[in-house]
Amino acid sequence: EINEIRVVSNLMIGSILDLLAEIVKDSIELTIKEKELDQIKLDQETYLKSVKQGAREIYSTVHLDELLVTFLDLALRMTNTECGSIMVRDDDHGDLIIKVSRGLDGEQVQNTRVKVGEGISGRAVKQNISFVINGQNGEGTMQALLRRSDIKQSLVMPLVAKNRVFGVLNLHTKKDEAKIEDNVDNLQYLSKLISSAF
């Protein structure tokens, strides 16, 4: 009887040990699965954050473009001019490139790149000063930089946001009845409202 009890006890202990081994194995597998799920969740959260950030950047870019187009259209109407552009600093090189335009040749828009400090737009950005130029017959150092004799009047005005010049508004006309000089203050005020969106 004692031997039978030992055999039963050994079988029970073996079964208990097998059961414990299964529990430990299952517990380890569950822990691994939990870690994998946590990693998947973390990856999904990271992915969602990057998607949200990308969407925000796209929205802000689209929003910025629409804002600049609206500002340019208002500036053209206020000054009774037919041509204009807004140039912004290229993040990679710091040069000025045309972001939005009206009345300019498409090839000119794509190929124009101005270094800060060079040309009229570059000087306006570097010095943070607006220039009103009355054709090539006017006086001043900027008239000498005008390349086109058909332009009667033009305005080059820096655009500032957070104490940094981020771009420049360029307007010009071939008409004599432009109202650029009458609206410089209005345009500067409008540009301050626009810059608050940056």
Side-chain angles (χ1 to χ4, degrees):
E1 287 180 8
I2 290 173
N3 283 338
E4 284 177 15
I5 291 171
R6 281 185 187 160
V7 169
V8 171
S9 296
N10 285 340
L11 285 174
M12 286 179 66
I13 288 172
S15 296
I16 290 169
L17 289 174
D18 288 344
L19 181 61
L20 284 173
E22 283 296 316
I23 291 171
V24 169
K25 181 182 164 195
D26 289 346
S27 177
I28 290 170
E29 285 178 1
L30 279 172
T31 303
I32 291 169
K33 290 292 180 194
E34 282 176 2
K35 285 183 179 176
E36 287 174 358
L37 286 172
D38 285 345
Q39 186 60 45
I40 289 169
K41 189 177 175 185
L42 184 66
D43 291 345
Q44 283 179 337
E45 286 174 1
T46 305
Y47 176 72
L48 286 172
K49 280 181 186 173
S50 64
V51 167
K52 283 180 185 175
Q53 181 63 30
R56 253 188 241 115
E57 287 172 9
I58 290 169
Y59 173 76
S60 64
T61 302
V62 169
H63 179 67
L64 172 64
D65 289 353
E66 288 176 0
L67 192 63
L68 293 178
V69 166
T70 303
F71 176 52
L72 179 59
D73 288 342
L74 278 168
L76 290 169
R77 264 185 262 148
M78 286 169 67
T79 58
N80 195 28
T81 53
E82 70 277 10
C83 295
S85 69
I86 294 178
M87 302 178 83
V88 295
R89 285 189 174 189
D90 176 21
D91 291 335
D92 296 332
H93 302 96
D95 296 345
L96 295 167
I97 57 171
I98 297 175
K99 187 76 170 168
V100 295
S101 68
R102 291 282 191 255
L104 299 179
D105 178 69
E107 190 176 323
Q108 179 187 3
V109 170
Q110 287 182 347
N111 297 329
T112 299
R113 184 173 283 275
V114 176
K115 293 193 179 300
V116 173
E118 293 183 3
I120 300 170
S121 297
R123 287 187 186 187
V125 168
K126 185 173 183 177
Q127 297 172 19
N128 194 11
I129 297 174
S130 296
F131 298 108
V132 176
I133 304 164
N134 292 304
Q136 290 189 324
N137 297 326
E139 295 180 12
T141 57
M142 292 300 126
Q143 269 77 11
L145 296 174
L146 280 178
R147 295 190 192 122
R148 292 176 48 192
S149 59
D150 58 337
I151 294 177
K152 303 285 186 193
Q153 195 176 56
S154 58
L155 167 72
V156 181
M157 186 177 76
L159 301 174
V160 182
K162 298 173 185 169
N163 298 320
R164 178 181 175 269
V165 179
F166 71 89
V168 63
L169 169 69
N170 297 295
L171 302 175
H172 68 267
T173 184
K174 300 174 187 176
K175 302 183 289 189
D176 291 319
E177 61 273 12
K179 301 174 185 172
I180 290 177
E181 287 184 285
D182 299 338
N183 285 286
V184 172
D185 290 340
N186 294 333
L187 288 172
Q188 286 177 336
Y189 177 73
L190 190 58
S191 76
K192 286 176 184 172
L193 293 177
I194 298 293
S195 67
S196 65
F198 285 80

